[in-house]
Amino acid sequence: MSQVYREKIARLVKSLREKNNMTREQLSLALGYDNSYISKLEKGNINITIDGIEEIAKYFGINFDIKLTK
């Protein structure tokens, strides 16, 4: 995953968490992730899987639909 996409996902996850008045710890507990994982994710320091993105989207009630076109 490119750094550009890591940073976009990082901003989105942090924004969703903050809009829902959640701490990193609360989000990590809700998703079953380690708190340090959420911290690294929000800083754009790790690659997240598509499954992970889908899980976060589902938790926040976001439709995760990728349309790949050429």
Side-chain angles (χ1 to χ4, degrees), residues 51-63:
D51 291 339
I53 294 170
E54 185 177 27
E55 185 176 355
I56 292 169
K58 186 176 180 179
Y59 178 80
F60 286 112
I62 297 170
N63 181 21

Side-chain angles (χ1 to χ4, degrees), residues 1-26:
M1 179 181 296
S2 75
Q3 185 62 31
V4 171
Y5 287 115
R6 280 194 299 272
E7 290 171 1
K8 286 182 179 188
I9 292 168
R11 286 190 300 271
L12 178 59
V13 171
K14 185 174 182 178
S15 173
L16 288 168
R17 179 181 60 76
E18 290 176 343
K19 283 180 184 176
N20 285 275
N21 297 312
M22 297 180 79
T23 65
R24 284 188 189 121
E25 184 175 1
Q26 289 170 322

Side-chain angles (χ1 to χ4, degrees), residues 15-60:
S15 173
L16 288 168
R17 179 181 60 76
E18 290 176 343
K19 283 180 184 176
N20 285 275
N21 297 312
M22 297 180 79
T23 65
R24 284 188 189 121
E25 184 175 1
Q26 289 170 322
L27 182 58
S28 66
L29 289 172
L31 295 172
Y33 293 142
D34 187 80
N35 190 33
S36 65
Y37 180 84
I38 298 297
S39 178
K40 291 175 187 173
L41 176 62
E42 287 186 357
K43 292 176 184 173
N45 292 337
I46 58 170
N47 286 327
I48 185 169
T49 64
I50 296 295
D51 291 339
I53 294 170
E54 185 177 27
E55 185 176 355
I56 292 169
K58 186 176 180 179
Y59 178 80
F60 286 112

